[in-house]
Structure formats: structure tokens, C-alpha cells
Amino acid sequence: MAHGALAQKLERFLHLKDAPPTLVTRSLRSAELAVTETRDDHPVTRLSESLPAEDAYLVSVKLRDFVDCECWERGRCVIKNDIRAGATYLYDLKRDPRYVIDKPFHSLFFHLPRSVLDDMARQSGAGPIGELAYQPGIGHDDPTIRHLGASLLAALRRPDEANQLFVDHMMLALSAHVVATYGGLRRAEPVRGGLAPWQVKRACERLESDLHGKLSLEQIAAEFDLSVSHFSRAFRVSTGLPPHRWLLRQRVDTAKQLMTVRDLSLAEIAVSAGFANQSHFTRVFSSLVGISPGTWRRERAATALDARDSGAAASPAAGNR
């Protein structure tokens, strides 16, 4: 997860002062997928730059209205239309998409190479997809991409807390959705079979060995000679959770074990259990357990004290019988 090529391209494209925050993952064939947040509240009025032509798409979720947007393709204006916050827009990078920047803007951009989309189609038993279905400057009401974008937006703003498995999972889900929704691919029947018992054991061991979540789904799936999407679905069938959620559960379980050691602070426990910091630990723990780590620790200590007191009180009575 770092500033990738997409960040530099969009910095030039939108005349940004700095490279925007970006999260990067890689497909089975090492093609780079990325998501980045772009924003400028005080832009200088001008036409955007050209992006390098490539066989790839940008999928964008708009986070701010942009009224009367002048959209260009292949060197000419093709439409003037209002851009609405929450809508999804597609751009074919072979067509030199550009627009006139004359108002504040705020967007998420996903970079999806065609090779990744074709791989997703092949994994579903279909051949390469054709052109994605879209019209320049016309938005789609797409709740799935909006939801995925909101999840990744939080990760972009707190990159230290976003483990690689989470980013991989979200980008995989987005790619599959784009292929099915805009590439005309019929959704395949879900994979019903899980991993073999030895594969589950090995996969869980690999995840446990890296509580900080630096391993990618690609690395783990490759150990079983499986595609990333196949491994993710089969792991969920076998464990009931996708890999990144399973890892969060393991972090919380590890933290619970560490919290029985009284001389460790919550900050020390957070880092030892694979969380970025105590704040991250508190948010995840509270979400999964329903109470804060501090409250859980106090309740656990009180329960243990009551049990000791009850045992001590019962001992004399037992001895007088």
C-alpha cells in the first residue's frame, strides 16, 4: 500500500499540488490495481491534462457535485452535463478522457487494467470481455461501488490501519462487480466447496504468523496454486469469514489473551496484537466485542476476583463438614 503510478498520473491529470493518497494491490499476473482520492477546493480554471493511453479503465465515485461539467474524449467535447455526488462514472483510457476543471472537485478513482477484468471473466468460465458499457459524462447509480468506495475511503485516510488483505479483498470485489455489471458477464454460480482441511490449517497458520496483515491474498493463494478469487471464496466457505475479517478476529483473540497480563498497557497490547495503534485497537475491538478493551479488561478482572472470593468463602465451610 503506497503511492503508485496512478497517484502521479492523476496529480498531472488534475493539476494537483501533491500526489493524492493511494492504495495499491496486484492481481495474479502482477497487474497493478489502485484506488486514490483526489480533491481540490480551489482549482485554477483549465482543461485537464491527457492521461497516458492504455488498455485500462478508471471507475470514479464522485464525492461532490460538479455542475455543468464539460467532458472531452479524443480531443473534442462530447457532452456537457451535471456531475452528481454519489454517482459512478467510467472512463476508457484508450479514448483520452479529459474535462474542464473550473470548479472545486472531490472524487475517488479506481484504476482497473483490462488484463485484470479479463482474468476475472476467465475465472468465471467466460472468455475476455468486450468494451465496458458506459456513456461519457453519464453517471450510474451504483450502490455496490458507492459502498466499496466508502470502505476504501476510510482506509485511504488511515492507511496504517488498512491491512493488505482488506485492500485486496475490496479491490477484488470491485473488479468482479465491474465485470458483471458493465462487462456483460453473467454472474457465475457461487463456489460451494471450501478448502481441504490441510489447506485451511495452512492458510490460518500463514495469517496468524502475520497479525499486522502485510501478506497479500495473492501470496497466500499462490501457495495453494489457486486464483485469488477462488481462494477467498473457498476460505470463506470453510471458516465463515473472508480472510481479512478472520484476521481481525485473531487480532482480537490475541489481545484478549494479552489483556490477562496486568502489567501490559493497552497501547502495548494493541501493537503486539497487530493493530496500528491503541485507537485502531479500540475501534475494532468495540465493533466486534460490543464493549471497549478497557471495559472488557475491568469486567474480566472483576469476574476473576469474585470467583476467588467465592472459593475462599467456601473453603472453611467445606472443611467443617
Side-chain angles (χ1 to χ4, degrees), residues 159-295:
D160 291 342
E161 299 179 12
N163 68 65
Q164 188 64 53
L165 292 176
F166 169 78
V167 177
D168 292 350
H169 178 81
M170 289 297 174
M171 293 300 286
L172 178 70
L174 182 126
S175 300
H177 175 75
V178 168
V179 168
T181 305
Y182 305 101
L185 181 73
R186 291 188 178 183
R187 295 183 184 274
E189 287 296 315
V191 174
R192 301 187 184 280
L195 298 171
W198 72 267
Q199 291 175 318
V200 175
K201 181 175 183 294
R202 177 60 178 157
C204 291
E205 287 173 350
R206 290 289 280 141
L207 290 170
E208 280 187 290
S209 71
D210 179 43
L211 287 177
H212 286 83
K214 300 301 182 185
L215 281 173
S216 68
L217 280 178
E218 179 190 0
Q219 289 173 295
I220 300 174
E223 294 190 17
F224 306 106
D225 197 25
L226 297 173
S227 70
V228 172
S229 58
H230 186 168
F231 170 76
S232 296
R233 288 193 296 262
F235 185 91
R236 186 168 190 163
V237 168
S238 296
T239 67
L241 293 169
H244 75 280
R245 295 291 296 177
W246 189 92
L247 182 64
L248 286 182
R249 291 281 182 185
Q250 289 306 115
R251 287 177 176 175
V252 168
D253 289 346
T254 299
K256 285 180 176 179
Q257 294 174 10
L258 292 172
M259 278 193 286
T260 62
V261 181
R262 290 178 175 274
D263 59 350
L264 286 178
S265 70
L266 291 180
E268 290 171 323
I269 289 169
V271 175
S272 297
F275 295 97
N277 48 50
Q278 185 176 341
S279 175
H280 182 210
F281 170 40
T282 299
R283 277 197 300 276
V284 173
F285 190 97
S286 301
S287 174
L288 294 181
V289 180
I291 55 176
S292 70
T295 301

Side-chain angles (χ1 to χ4, degrees), residues 6 25 34 51 67 81 102 120 133 157 181 280 293 298 321:
L6 179 62
T25 185
L51 286 162
V67 178
N81 200 21
D102 57 357
M120 296 297 300
R157 292 173 179 176
T181 305
H280 182 210
R298 288 191 295 273
R321 288 176 186 167

